[in-house]
Amino acid sequence: MSSADSVKVAVRVRAFNQTEKDAGSSCIISVALNDITIYDPRNRNNTKTFTFDLSYWSHSGFIKNEEGILIPDGPTSRYADQRRVFGDLGQGVLNNAWKGYNATLLAYGQTSSGKSYSMIGYGPNRGIIPLTCDELFKAIKQNQEHDKQYQIYFSMLEIYNEKVIDLLSKNKQPGGLKVRESPQRGFYVEHLKSVPCESYEQIEQLMKEGNKKRSTASTNINTSSSRSHMIITIRFKQVFLKEHLTKQSDINLVDLAGSERQKSSGAEGDRLREGTAINLSLTTLGNVISALAEIAMGKKVMHVPYRNSTLTKLLQSALGGNSKTMMIATVSPADICYEETLSTLRYAERTKNIQNKAVINEDPTERLIRELKAENAKLRSKITKIRNSGQRVEEETQELRRLLAENELQMQEIQTSWEQRLEIARKEWEQQYLAITQERHMIELFPYLSNVNVDPQLSAFVKLFIKDGESVVGQSASFPQAIVIKGLGIIDKHATITYRDNKVILEPHGQAKVTLNGVLVLTKVQLRHLDRIILGSNSTYLYVGNPCERNSEDLSRYDYDFFQSELAAVEGFDRDALGPACRNNRKVDPSVLAVFHDYIRVKPMVAEANQISEELNKDLKFELEVKNLALTDSRGQDLAKEVLVKVTNKVSQKVWLWSRAKFVNRKFIMEDMYQHFVDGENISVDRESDPFWDPVEAVHLGTAYIWLQSLNYCIVLEEHVEFHNSQGKEEAILQMKLVPCTPTGQPLREDEILIDPTELVGQRLDFQVQITQCLGIKWLKQNSKRGIQIRYHVLNHPHPFHTKPVWNAVNARIDQVTQFTVTSVSQELLNYLQNHALVLDLWGLQVQYGQHFDRLQMSVNNVMLICTLRFFFSCYKEGCAEMGSSSGDVEVTDEGSIIIDYLRPRLPSSGSVEMGDDQLSGLYIKLSKLEQEIELLRDVNRTLRKDNVTLKGILRKTMSDASRPDEKSSHQTNIQDFGCRGTPKASYEVEFAKALKTFYQRMNRVQSQLLGLRRHRPPDDDDVEVLRIYLGKQTQVIKDFGDSLESCINSLKNDVSLIVKKKKEHTLWDSETK
């Protein structure tokens, strides 16, 4: 009898983790009964509400009792603890299993959303899986009858990169286990170990063994559990002896891989994004759920892609098949996880529409055996016919024989009594019990190394005991007292640990890499309790000292992130290196925190990639960098930071910059290749499929800034500015000019300099960007067979402009002039020019190794001649990447000048803006005061202009009334006093314009000094003398900046005072003349 019902979906909202607390995150989720509402942190009025079968608020309202169990903090608390979640979901699974239905529970959510905590638990807070197993055995004990027999089998597997790994088998499984299909069983895993159990303690031990195997495997190549699926299957049989009837239920408890989304700028742009199967199962699961949801809504679906992945094959009965299925979706309520949480809720909403048709699995044992015998007879008949026909169909014959052997094996299993299987299992239990007892005894006697995994659930499962005398740590087990550790970068004899007189001494062997508390160890060192040890690339262990040294410390604080943060801090990288972590309200900037955590998570992967490259002779070096670490936008505000991986070919010196997502994607393919190498398989692949190869590309070297405010006054600006890379180090020096000009390209005269920029409103503005040369290019110093190209945006024009490429020159002569036109100046444009800079990016060009350069240069020149103004990135198959802009994308004047009419830009998101350093706050106050003083000077200028108009009127009247010779003489005298052009001292405006020109030229240098101050970082060295010298230099730089700023202001004040004084004298003279 079948029972049609929908998948039951529950959503659990967890508490903030430490990262979210440090970030000062706000909660964006509310729960009311079974409705969950999520708020967009960028617009709280933008909400979405979802309704599920069950919802759990586990975010707040809890305390920890004496046993360490989290419980509600009072009778009115909404907190849902582990026991309550089990009561709804775990107990529901058990109820269905007792009735004879197959039952499945899926846990879905992003990494660190609480999936594993809900399913397995942590410490005394047991999750659904252990509670379900425990309650099952309790129920069996209460329902014992003489004519009933209860049989429980336990299996545990992991799916990683589409490979099935048996976590209970001690045998090596190269390539993983095979997934087969049969008419009776559907999809199943061939040779998967299924262990009979008669107590919860046995299942608990099996889970520990399985997690230990996961932990050991992940140590080898950091195969993070967040990227793998774990399936625990409990086969529960109720045998009715009198009726010769068996009621069977398969309970599948599934902890799915993390569901976080890739950034669009990351792996999606990688040509090898489909080269890894790491996300195939989760993607296919989503497609299956979507297809089944559409079927449930009455839509016609041609195909449900169960067969497209290993996971969906094994879950076919759970989704749309013979199973009572539930899903628990776990989410973070933090604002920094908004996108992932919303994606999870949408996924869960689709899942609840799936319809299953569960059937009570109540089949007579004898009938099942008869069916298998009948099928075997048919298979034998087919084999006989093939033989008699004389056909040689080897593959078909082998497949028939395999099916025949499987059926016979299945009959043998059915006929084997429960007692016989239990007897075999008991012998294994005895051996395991001895090992457990021995381990507990050794913990009380010896110091040991405890593994630390990126997944806290897999930490502390491996304990390497340090016995008296000398022990050799490494890959080899051939030494008399060996501590065997498998992992990247670990050699046969990696280090020696000596334990004598209650002292433990660690000594690296040769050039073996050993890191202690973040510091590389080169000689003997004594270990202290809770020391952190990293062996090779990334095998991390916590040293637990002698029993006499131990206290009741919380070892969980020494997690994987603690190791990596310590390592990064020793190398001079911490949160402060990313800029100010706190805003004015003392709230930690989430963007800074996110980049820091990305850095420490990717750092060990970079170390492993370097080791894999070395062992596979790929000649690549990987280095971790932070994009925009010391760079700003056109307003001088910090740019959003991002973790990048710099890749360098040590032979050809080619360089690539990979995004974090692209590197992680490539890293998984590298791991797969390395595993084939370790297994002795051929790893030769074509170049397009090689994760270590990429076509050459242009590399961003640095950025320079030219402030645009001089254009407001039509002043020529000539600059020597530095290109600085993301880390703030100088890459080259640029010589260029910003020249206001006439429509025909002639520079404006000095008497055309403006005092009041508002005179430009409604007028046409022409100017030229003249880039002369680029000096001292480090990119060329490192390798002369390279080139450079400069790219820049003008105002907010959507397309960038580029210089011609220059090759083989450390001091590159460019000599490029580009003229731009604003057809009508607006007040918004004047404001933009006053506060923004022209941002110029220096790009490094490189040729494919072995190509003839002259031939390449010819093709480059032809391309640049044809596409002078075309914006593209052209990557030649055997060439280089260059940049240009398209004439089809820009509008030009009759004179050939490029029109760049200013458009109002969209406001930047607040998350991309970061405040300056606290130590420079006083300098910003000075700049603010300077703006106020400039406004006062403009008021003075307006007054002077009014006086000029009055004087001009008087002069015209005087000239028109002059009729006598003495009057003519007086008129000529006035002309000499007021100016050679016959205007009443119009030269005062010219003098004021010259003063402004000098002022803005000086201010550009002051602004450059300010940017230099913001880029300046303290040295990594802890030497007090080095820090003292740095402090002295920094103090002098700040003093010089203050002096320069004050000198600029005073100089302008003096010039204006002199002009005003002269003006007053002539006004007095004019009144006396009247």
Side-chain angles (χ1 to χ4, degrees):
M1 180 180 176
S2 64
S3 172
D5 57 0
S6 301
V7 173
K8 190 175 183 179
V9 177
V11 174
R12 190 179 194 186
V13 183
R14 67 157 169 79
F16 286 149
N17 60 28
Q18 194 58 49
T19 300
E20 292 159 351
K21 289 178 183 177
D22 291 344
S25 297
S26 59
C27 181
I28 56 168
I29 285 183
S30 65
V31 176
L33 298 178
N34 292 328
D35 291 341
I36 292 184
T37 301
I38 181 170
Y39 303 86
D40 187 339
R42 294 160 295 192
N43 179 10
R44 297 285 293 188
N45 294 324
N46 181 17
T47 65
K48 292 180 176 63
T49 300
F50 302 85
T51 302
F52 299 101
D53 298 291
L54 295 164
S55 63
Y56 301 110
W57 179 261
S58 300
H59 176 65
S60 59
F62 60 90
I63 58 173
K64 185 184 291 187
N65 66 13
E66 294 178 354
E67 298 174 359
I69 299 175
L70 302 180
I71 59 173
D73 61 6
T76 60
S77 173
R78 295 187 296 157
Y79 179 74
D81 59 9
Q82 296 284 67
R83 178 57 67 170
R84 178 182 161 190
V85 175
F86 162 77
D88 292 331
L89 301 178
Q91 193 60 53
V93 166
L94 287 178
N95 293 341
N96 290 325
W98 278 100
K99 294 175 184 177
Y101 291 111
N102 292 334
T104 302
L105 176 61
L106 306 169
Y108 180 88
Q110 72 177 101
T111 301
S112 302
S113 65
K115 293 191 315 297
S116 296
Y117 177 77
S118 295
M119 293 295 281
I120 299 174
Y122 191 78
N125 294 280
R126 293 190 297 170
I128 295 172
I129 294 176
L131 287 173
T132 299
C133 297
D134 194 7
E135 292 298 324
L136 177 59
F137 280 104
K138 287 179 181 178
I140 288 174
K141 191 174 182 180
Q142 294 173 358
N143 290 279
Q144 289 289 352
E145 296 180 26
H146 70 280
D147 59 346
K148 274 188 183 179
Q149 188 181 70
Y150 300 103
Q151 302 176 7
I152 292 178
Y153 297 86
F154 183 90
S155 63
M156 188 176 182
L157 64 85
E158 181 181 50
I159 301 173
Y160 180 80
N161 204 16
E162 287 301 284
K163 295 177 182 176
V164 178
I165 302 164
D166 188 347
L167 296 174
L168 300 182
S169 175
K170 296 179 180 178
N171 300 324
K172 192 175 181 182
Q173 307 158 28
L177 301 182
K178 301 295 182 183
V179 176
R180 304 289 187 185
E181 185 181 15
S182 73
Q184 287 82 23
R185 303 171 64 183
F187 289 107
Y188 67 96
V189 179
E190 188 178 38
H191 304 313
L192 179 67
K193 186 173 182 178
S194 185
V195 182
C197 301
E198 54 185 345
S199 70
Y200 165 69
E201 288 72 24
Q202 291 175 345
I203 285 185
E204 187 178 34
Q205 183 56 34
L206 286 172
M207 289 178 63
K208 288 182 179 179
E209 289 296 319
N211 283 326
K212 184 175 181 179
K213 184 167 183 176
R214 290 180 84 194
S215 179
T216 305
S218 68
T219 302
N220 291 336
I221 321 181
N222 195 34
T223 51
S224 169
S225 64
S226 66
R227 310 289 292 193
S228 66
H229 314 281
M230 184 186 71
I231 301 177
I232 288 176
T233 300
I234 302 166
R235 176 160 291 177
F236 175 43
K237 288 185 178 183
Q238 302 173 67
V239 181
F240 301 88
L241 301 177
K242 285 184 179 180
E243 295 86 352
H244 297 285
L245 197 68
T246 300
K247 190 184 288 185
Q248 176 177 302
S249 172
D250 284 344
I251 303 172
N252 294 306
L253 304 169
V254 186
D255 189 359
L256 295 170
S259 61
E260 51 274 351
R261 300 154 15 131
Q262 291 283 8
K263 292 182 180 178
S264 59
S265 61
E268 291 181 6
D270 188 6
R271 74 174 202 284
L272 294 181
R273 63 186 183 278
E274 302 297 340
T276 175
I278 198 70
N279 287 322
L280 178 61
S281 286
L282 210 56
T283 303
T284 306
L285 179 62
N287 295 336
V288 167
I289 287 174
S290 296
L292 293 173
E294 290 185 1
I295 291 173
M297 290 184 288
K299 296 182 180 179
K300 188 175 181 180
V301 176
M302 300 299 295
H303 172 64
V304 180
Y306 290 113
R307 296 176 180 272
N308 289 5
S309 78
T310 301
L311 177 68
T312 48
K313 286 178 182 177
L314 297 179
L315 294 182
Q316 182 172 3
S317 64
L319 298 169
N322 177 23
S323 176
K324 295 277 191 177
T325 301
M326 304 181 191
M327 172 188 278
I328 179 169
T330 55
V331 295
S332 164
D335 51 1
I336 59 177
C337 298
Y338 171 74
E339 296 292 342
E340 287 79 4
T341 296
L342 181 59
S343 176
T344 299
L345 293 174
R346 285 172 172 163
Y347 194 98
E349 187 177 44
R350 291 201 307 273
T351 304
K352 73 178 184 180
N353 295 320
I354 297 174
Q355 294 284 328
N356 282 3
K357 293 183 179 180
V359 177
I360 294 176
N361 303 308
E362 194 173 43
D363 292 323
T365 306
E366 295 298 329
R367 190 183 77 184
L368 184 58
I369 293 174
R370 283 198 303 271
E371 288 177 356
L372 288 170
K373 285 182 177 179
E375 188 177 347
N376 280 3
K378 291 179 182 178
L379 291 172
R380 288 193 181 94
S381 176
K382 285 184 180 180
I383 294 172
T384 303
K385 286 180 181 178
I386 291 174
R387 287 176 178 171
N388 293 340
S389 65
Q391 297 177 1
R392 296 183 62 82
V393 188
E394 191 65 27
E395 290 184 5
E396 184 177 353
T397 305
Q398 287 181 356
E399 180 63 17
L400 291 173
R401 287 174 177 168
R402 187 188 63 77
L403 292 172
L404 182 64
E406 285 181 5
N407 286 346
E408 289 176 349
L409 181 62
Q410 190 174 352
M411 281 193 297
Q412 183 182 350
E413 289 179 356
I414 293 172
Q415 292 170 332
T416 302
S417 69
W418 164 253
E419 287 77 11
Q420 289 175 313
R421 298 183 195 186
L422 209 54
E423 186 61 32
I424 295 171
R426 280 173 181 156
K427 293 179 181 178
E428 293 184 7
W429 287 122
E430 289 175 2
Q431 295 177 357
Q432 290 187 16
Y433 180 75
L434 289 174
I436 294 169
T437 306
Q438 185 180 9
E439 183 179 279
R440 289 174 180 171
H441 181 65
M442 293 182 73
I443 287 174
E444 297 173 356
L445 295 177
F446 299 104
Y448 61 91
L449 302 178
S450 178
N451 81 297
V452 177
N453 194 278
V454 63
D455 184 352
Q457 300 284 347
L458 301 182
S459 293
F461 276 104
V462 179
K463 293 179 176 60
L464 305 173
F465 293 97
I466 302 170
K467 299 178 182 178
D468 293 324
E470 184 178 281
S471 301
V472 176
V473 180
Q475 298 251 21
S476 176
S478 61
F479 297 99
Q481 194 163 296
I483 299 177
V484 179
I485 296 178
K486 303 289 184 180
L488 280 170
I490 296 181
I491 59 179
D492 287 345
K493 186 178 181 181
H494 198 86
T496 302
I497 296 180
T498 306
Y499 179 33
R500 290 192 181 95
D501 301 327
N502 287 331
K503 291 183 180 180
V504 178
I505 305 298
L506 172 66
E507 182 180 12
H509 184 264
Q511 299 299 314
K513 186 177 179 181
V514 178
T515 305
L516 181 67
N517 301 333
V519 180
L520 193 64
V521 177
L522 302 175
T523 58
K524 290 182 180 180
V525 61
Q526 182 177 344
L527 297 182
R528 308 289 181 186
H529 181 50
L530 302 182
D531 274 348
R532 282 77 61 200
I533 301 171
I534 302 177
L535 303 173
S537 297
N538 194 34
S539 296
T540 49
Y541 292 90
L542 181 68
Y543 169 71
V544 180
N546 284 297
C548 60
E549 298 178 74
R550 303 172 199 168
N551 298 312
S552 56
E553 306 98 343
D554 180 14
L555 302 187
S556 63
R557 68 181 292 261
Y558 298 102
D559 58 7
Y560 189 81
D561 284 354
F562 186 98
F563 276 64
Q564 301 305 327
S565 299
E566 181 177 57
L567 191 63
V570 170
E571 295 176 0
F573 186 90
D574 53 19
R575 293 180 192 174
D576 293 337
L578 293 170
C582 293
R583 299 170 177 166
N584 289 339
N585 58 5
R586 290 300 170 190
K587 180 180 177 180
V588 178
D589 188 343
S591 64
V592 171
L593 197 64
V595 171
F596 176 73
H597 281 278
D598 278 350
Y599 188 95
I600 64 174
R601 286 298 173 94
V602 176
K603 184 175 176 58
M605 299 178 70
V606 168
E608 291 170 351
N610 278 317
Q611 188 64 39
I612 293 174
S613 174
E614 182 179 336
E615 294 193 28
L616 299 185
N617 296 318
K618 292 294 183 178
D619 297 320
L620 289 188
K621 180 183 178 183
F622 299 89
E623 299 172 275
L624 200 54
E625 292 188 353
V626 178
K627 181 180 178 181
N628 300 328
L629 181 62
L631 298 183
T632 63
D633 62 12
S634 63
R635 296 166 297 169
Q637 295 171 327
D638 289 343
L639 290 168
K641 298 170 179 61
E642 180 185 346
V643 170
L644 295 177
V645 176
K646 181 181 178 182
V647 186
T648 307
N649 188 305
K650 292 184 282 189
V651 176
S652 66
Q653 293 185 307
K654 299 296 174 293
V655 177
W656 298 265
L657 291 175
W658 288 355
S659 68
R660 173 186 174 275
K662 180 175 179 177
F663 169 74
V664 170
N665 183 60
R666 293 293 183 92
K667 168 68 165 40
F668 285 120
I669 308 175
M670 294 175 194
E671 289 175 8
D672 197 43
M673 179 181 283
Y674 180 77
Q675 194 59 56
H676 288 299
F677 170 76
V678 171
D679 293 339
E681 302 174 20
N682 183 19
I683 60 170
S684 298
V685 293
D686 61 272
R687 190 172 67 174
E688 292 294 328
S689 302
D690 189 350
F692 293 92
W693 181 86
D694 250 358
V696 291
E697 59 186 25
V699 179
H700 184 260
L701 302 178
T703 302
Y705 306 89
I706 303 295
W707 293 96
L708 297 169
Q709 60 198 53
S710 62
L711 291 179
N712 272 350
Y713 303 91
C714 296
I715 297 173
V716 175
L717 180 66
E718 183 175 357
E719 283 286 358
H720 288 64
V721 294
E722 299 172 343
F723 280 108
H724 288 96
N725 62 22
S726 285
Q727 281 63 50
K729 297 179 181 178
E730 182 186 314
E731 287 289 336
I733 296 175
L734 176 68
Q735 291 184 1
M736 69 161 293
K737 289 182 180 180
L738 199 59
V739 182
C741 62
T742 65
T744 58
Q746 298 300 315
L748 297 181
R749 302 186 303 274
E750 282 197 354
D751 60 351
E752 294 178 287
I753 294 175
L754 297 179
I755 299 174
D756 186 359
T758 57
E759 292 183 38
L760 282 173
V761 174
Q763 303 298 315
R764 169 172 169 165
L765 174 64
D766 290 88
F767 64 93
Q768 294 177 346
V769 176
Q770 300 180 3
I771 299 178
T772 308
Q773 60 181 338
C774 197
L775 306 174
I777 307 167
K778 290 185 179 179
W779 174 254
L780 272 298
K781 290 179 180 178
Q782 296 166 358
N783 185 346
S784 61
K785 293 183 178 180
R786 289 174 171 173
I788 59 100
Q789 202 167 5
I790 296 173
R791 182 177 74 174
Y792 57 94
H793 283 83
V794 180
L795 305 186
N796 61 350
H797 195 275
H799 299 294
F801 300 92
H802 304 80
T803 65
K804 63 185 179 183
V806 180
W807 296 84
N808 288 359
V810 174
N811 299 315
R813 192 78 190 179
I814 298 173
D815 290 329
Q816 181 166 312
V817 178
T818 307
Q819 184 167 326
F820 300 96
T821 297
V822 179
T823 56
S824 179
V825 175
S826 63
Q827 185 60 50
E828 287 83 358
L829 174 61
L830 296 181
N831 295 338
Y832 180 93
L833 296 176
Q834 187 66 29
N835 299 301
H836 288 70
L838 178 68
V839 180
L840 301 104
D841 292 305
L842 179 66
W843 289 83
L845 308 178
Q846 46 194 343
V847 294
Q848 190 72 19
Y849 182 70
Q851 184 181 2
H852 194 275
F853 177 77
D854 293 336
R855 181 179 166 188
L856 171 67
Q857 185 64 56
M858 185 182 298
S859 68
V860 169
N861 289 337
N862 289 339
V863 170
M864 291 303 295
L865 180 63
I866 296 170
C867 305
T868 305
L869 297 173
R870 182 164 184 77
F871 170 53
F872 70 100
F873 278 92
S874 176
C875 186
Y876 298 93
K877 187 174 181 181
E878 291 295 327
C880 66
E882 291 184 356
M883 297 167 285
S885 38
S886 169
S887 57
D889 293 332
V890 296
E891 185 181 355
V892 297
T893 64
D894 294 339
E895 297 87 2
S897 178
I898 299 172
I899 297 175
I900 51 166
D901 282 343
Y902 179 79
L903 298 174
R904 185 188 299 272
R906 290 179 297 175
L907 290 175
S909 61
S910 58
S912 65
V913 180
E914 298 183 10
M915 301 300 293
D917 297 330
D918 291 341
Q919 63 177 342
L920 298 178
S921 59
L923 301 178
Y924 285 117
I925 293 172
K926 287 188 177 182
L927 286 176
S928 178
K929 290 181 179 178
L930 176 61
E931 293 290 341
Q932 295 174 5
E933 293 188 14
I934 290 174
E935 189 59 37
L936 291 174
L937 292 173
R938 286 175 180 160
D939 292 338
V940 172
N941 175 52
R942 281 190 281 271
T943 303
L944 292 174
R945 288 174 62 82
K946 290 178 181 178
D947 292 344
N948 279 340
V949 171
T950 303
L951 291 172
K952 286 178 182 178
I954 294 172
L955 182 60
R956 281 194 294 270
K957 184 178 180 182
T958 303
M959 293 176 66
S960 63
D961 293 342
S963 58
R964 293 186 300 276
D966 57 334
E967 290 175 345
K968 182 177 179 180
S969 175
S970 175
H971 167 67
Q972 290 174 341
T973 304
N974 289 338
I975 292 291
Q976 292 173 358
D977 288 340
F978 284 101
C980 62
R981 294 187 180 182
T983 60
K985 293 303 178 185
S987 60
Y988 291 149
E989 293 188 7
V990 176
E991 289 181 22
F992 190 63
K994 288 180 179 179
L996 280 177
K997 177 181 178 181
T998 303
F999 171 73
Y1000 280 114
Q1001 286 175 338
R1002 289 181 176 180
M1003 277 304 300
N1004 270 284
R1005 297 187 182 94
V1006 171
Q1007 285 174 316
S1008 297
Q1009 284 180 294
L1010 178 61
L1011 283 175
L1013 273 171
R1014 297 184 67 187
R1015 292 190 200 100
H1016 211 65
R1017 303 292 178 191
D1020 299 337
D1021 203 328
D1022 291 334
D1023 190 331
V1024 176
E1025 184 62 24
V1026 173
L1027 292 173
R1028 187 186 65 78
I1029 295 172
Y1030 163 79
L1031 184 60
K1033 289 181 178 179
Q1034 186 76 344
T1035 303
Q1036 186 60 45
V1037 169
I1038 293 175
K1039 182 179 180 300
D1040 292 344
F1041 172 81
D1043 292 344
S1044 298
L1045 184 60
E1046 197 169 340
S1047 174
C1048 284
I1049 297 170
N1050 291 337
S1051 176
L1052 183 60
K1053 284 180 179 179
N1054 292 336
D1055 290 341
V1056 171
S1057 297
L1058 186 60
I1059 294 171
V1060 172
K1061 182 179 178 182
K1062 288 182 178 180
K1063 194 71 174 178
K1064 286 181 178 179
E1065 290 176 353
H1066 282 284
T1067 303
L1068 181 62
W1069 171 85
D1070 183 58
S1071 63
E1072 290 176 353
T1073 303
K1074 288 181 181 179

